[in-house]
Amino acid sequence: MAEFLPIDMTLPRASRLEALAPMLSALLEEETSGWANLANAASAMMSASRWHWVGFYLIDAHQDNLVLGPFQGPVACTRLFRGKGVCAVAWESNETVQVPDVEVFPGHVACSSASLSEVVVPIRNNHGDVVAVLDVDSAVKADFTSDDVKALESLAGVISARWNQWTWQP
C-alpha cells in the first residue's frame, strides 16, 4: 500500500478515525512484522487524530508487566506495572478504559505532564487474551467523545484480527 493515507482532515476527528479503519486494514495486510505494523498503526492514528500521544504497550509475560512498543509522541514510560495506571486497568479488566481527567484517576502513571485525558483499549489475540494495549493521550481534559472511543475500539479490532499472523523477530 502507498505510504500516503488519504484522510480528509476537514472531517470531525471520530469520522477521520472511522475512515482510517479500512485503510489501516489494507496497510497491515501484506506485512508480517508485528513491530512494523504497530509502528505504522500508531503513525496513522496520530496523523488522523493529532492527539498528544498514540502508542502500544505489549504484555511482557516473563516480567508480568507492560513494555513500551511502537508509538508517536514524546518520550514515554518504558515499563508499566500490574495494578498501576490506566493501561494496567485495561490490561487486567480486558475492557476499554476512558479517563476524562487523569489527575483524578487513582494510581495514574504520569509519563507526560502534558497528558490530561486518556483512553486505553485492549488488543487481543485470536484466543481473546490481552496481548497489548492501545494507549491514547490527549493534552486536553475530557477530549475523547464516545464516537472517538468507538472508532479506537474498531481500530484496535483491526489490529487484534491480525495479531496471530505477525512475527515478533526483527
Side-chain angles (χ1 to χ4, degrees):
M1 171 157 189
E3 288 76 26
F4 174 73
L5 296 174
I7 300 168
D8 181 352
M9 296 305 285
T10 65
L11 293 173
R13 183 176 57 210
S15 298
R16 295 191 308 261
L17 292 167
E18 288 170 10
L20 182 60
M23 291 182 255
L24 182 61
S25 184
L27 181 65
L28 305 179
E29 191 169 349
E30 297 296 322
E31 180 54 54
T32 59
S33 167
W35 297 107
N37 284 326
L38 292 182
N40 269 335
S43 179
M45 286 185 254
M46 178 65 93
S47 295
S49 67
R50 297 190 176 139
W51 275 310
H52 175 66
W53 198 92
V54 176
F56 299 91
Y57 281 92
L58 288 74
I59 308 298
D60 180 344
H62 299 293
Q63 296 190 33
D64 195 33
N65 58 32
L66 297 164
V67 64
L68 181 64
F71 70 94
Q72 295 283 309
V75 172
C77 296
T78 303
R79 295 220 176 238
L80 299 173
F81 299 94
R82 186 178 285 281
K84 294 185 179 181
V86 182
C87 289
V89 170
W91 166 29
E92 293 170 318
S93 69
N94 195 359
E95 295 181 0
T96 298
V97 179
Q98 179 180 0
V99 179
D101 182 352
V102 297
E103 294 174 6
V104 298
F105 187 86
H108 178 256
V109 177
C111 296
S112 168
S113 61
S115 294
L116 300 178
S117 58
E118 185 172 4
V119 172
V120 180
V121 183
I123 304 293
R124 301 170 185 93
N125 64 17
N126 64 359
H127 303 291
D129 302 318
V130 179
V131 290
V133 294
L134 165 61
D135 182 15
V136 182
D137 294 8
S138 174
V140 176
K141 283 187 181 181
D143 193 29
F144 299 96
T145 67
S146 60
D147 288 339
D148 290 335
V149 174
K150 287 177 193 172
L152 288 169
E153 290 174 331
S154 176
L155 293 167
V158 169
I159 294 163
S160 293
R162 289 179 165 69
W163 189 271
N164 286 82
Q165 302 165 9
W166 297 342
T167 61
W168 296 96
Q169 301 301 316

